[in-house]
Amino acid sequence: MDHERFKHWENHTTVDEFILLGYNEYPILLFIAFLVTYLAILLGNGLIVVVTTLDPALHTPMYFFLRNLSGLEMCYTSVTLPKMMVNLVSGDRSISLPACATQMFFMLFLGGTECFLLAVMAYDRYLAICLPLRYMTIISSGVRVGMVVTSFALSLPMQLLQIGLIFSLPFCGSNEIDHFFCDIPQVLRLACADLYANKLAVYIENVFFVVVPFLLIVTSYVHIARAIQRMPSATGRQKTFSTCSSHLTVVSLFYGSGMLVYLCPQTSDYVKFTKLFSLLYTVVVPLCNPLIYTLRNREVKAAFGKLFCKKQSMEVGAGVG
């Protein structure tokens, strides 16, 4: 029990709101940068959702999962960036406890869902490459919908429990969060109570949502690598690997930055870097996701080309009419 943390907490004023310190230098420049980035994330991922929905050639399991990932990225970024931009413009960095709890819940819920969805996408690639003859039978339309729904369903109850445990704690003394959103480590530092149950819950959640999906992804790609090595044609090996490279890039960015934030020891010297690492999985990954999947994927690029050509043809036809 951390007696030194809270033995005199009764003498302090109970906190009813937090202050998100975030980034406070050059607010106008940062606002413009984050606004452009946010619009690019919505546009890029939105286009992927539209293209993979409208083009019949992309009505395959892989692009079904990509469509859900892009939709998830738009929601995930919308939890933090709009609030950050409002803070930069208004100068008011306060956030009430209910708003902080809501923001944290959606960050954890959507982040946990993305961890499982990336694992599902790795399993999809494993089936397509290692069991091609049974692929469409195993991963039917009902199965892939069930996989996405399960990814959301697994995350929901655990995140509700996590939020309940955290925001049932008393908060006193300082109310400043040295971050741009309400994240677990920073909020727990302000609690005046025994944190054993909370630390245990965070540990279990990290194992369940980070370690387990990551091991499933690694296992899938170990089998994929073995299957690629057995292919007699160098061209075939290169083509097969190219279908996995986009997903591998996204996994590396998302899990790499997430593990740096949540699995590394939270020492005082390390905390200052968490804001930077958090930007990677909350902003950089959603921004890069459309670029990674379009620049490395001929089918998606071809679908974009058909969509824009069709739009131009309609505009020309309307002008002639």
Side-chain angles (χ1 to χ4, degrees):
M1 184 176 291
D2 299 328
H3 291 285
E4 295 300 323
R5 287 174 52 88
F6 65 95
K7 62 182 180 179
H8 298 303
W9 75 269
E10 294 90 347
N11 298 326
H12 296 276
T13 303
T14 303
V15 171
D16 58 3
E17 69 174 16
F18 296 123
I19 305 297
L20 295 171
L21 298 182
Y23 297 96
N24 51 25
E25 296 182 350
Y26 312 109
I28 300 302
L29 290 177
L30 283 176
F31 171 78
I32 294 172
F34 284 128
L35 177 61
V36 172
T37 301
Y38 183 52
L39 293 177
I41 290 171
L42 295 182
L43 178 62
N45 286 284
L47 281 173
I48 286 183
V49 172
V50 171
V51 166
T52 55
T53 300
L54 296 180
D55 194 329
L58 301 182
H59 290 179
T60 62
M62 182 175 74
Y63 295 110
F64 172 78
F65 294 129
L66 175 58
R67 179 162 63 249
N68 281 275
L69 178 64
S70 294
L72 190 66
E73 296 283 31
M74 290 191 288
C75 297
Y76 191 59
T77 307
S78 298
V79 176
T80 57
L81 274 184
K83 174 62 177 173
M84 191 194 313
M85 290 187 289
V86 169
N87 291 351
L88 287 168
V89 171
S90 67
D92 180 9
R93 301 173 183 275
S94 63
I95 183 170
S96 66
L97 258 68
C100 184
T102 302
Q103 185 185 62
M104 185 185 292
F105 167 73
F106 281 106
M107 282 295 297
L108 295 174
F109 172 57
L110 296 172
T113 301
E114 183 161 350
C115 288
F116 282 114
L117 188 56
L118 289 172
V120 166
M121 294 174 75
Y123 179 67
D124 169 71
R125 291 299 82 209
Y126 158 75
L127 292 176
I129 294 169
C130 300
L131 302 171
L133 298 179
R134 298 170 55 196
Y135 174 56
M136 292 307 297
T137 303
I138 295 174
I139 197 157
S140 62
S141 58
V143 169
R144 54 182 179 257
V145 170
M147 285 178 163
V148 172
V149 172
T150 301
S151 298
F152 281 92
L154 287 173
S155 185
L156 181 61
M158 290 195 67
Q159 306 310 348
L160 287 173
L161 176 61
Q162 184 75 270
I163 295 300
L165 285 172
I166 293 173
F167 286 90
S168 62
L169 295 170
F171 297 97
C172 60
S174 174
N175 66 340
E176 294 182 344
I177 298 176
D178 190 13
H179 214 317
F180 58 89
F181 67 92
C182 290
D183 203 7
I184 293 177
Q186 286 73 24
V187 172
L188 286 180
R189 286 193 192 93
L190 305 181
C192 303
D194 181 9
L195 301 180
Y196 175 78
N198 298 92
K199 290 179 179 179
L200 179 61
V202 170
Y203 175 78
I204 293 172
E205 181 170 296
N206 286 338
V207 171
F208 188 70
F209 288 101
V210 179
V211 178
V212 171
F214 183 73
L215 290 177
L216 292 174
I217 292 171
V218 170
T219 302
S220 296
Y221 276 107
V222 167
H223 289 289
I224 289 171
R226 290 174 179 172
I228 291 175
Q229 287 179 343
R230 291 194 296 266
M231 293 180 179
S233 169
T235 304
R237 289 196 296 269
Q238 183 178 2
K239 183 178 179 181
T240 303
F241 179 76
S242 67
T243 65
C244 303
S245 60
S246 299
H247 180 255
L248 275 173
T249 304
V250 172
V251 166
S252 300
L253 287 171
F254 184 78
Y255 273 93
S257 55
M259 287 179 176
L260 285 172
V261 172
Y262 293 107
L263 297 185
C264 290
Q266 296 293 312
T267 62
S268 57
D269 293 332
Y270 182 76
V271 167
K272 66 181 73 173
F273 296 105
T274 58
K275 283 193 291 185
L276 177 61
F277 296 141
S278 297
L279 277 176
L280 292 177
Y281 66 84
T282 57
V283 178
V284 176
V285 172
L287 178 64
C288 292
N289 182 52
L291 296 175
I292 292 169
Y293 277 102
T294 54
L295 294 178
R296 297 189 177 190
N297 193 304
R298 293 181 181 179
E299 291 177 317
V300 175
K301 286 192 287 187
F304 272 116
K306 287 190 290 184
L307 178 66
F308 287 115
C309 288
K310 182 178 179 180
K311 182 180 178 182
Q312 289 177 353
S313 299
M314 292 175 63
E315 290 175 351
V316 171
V320 172

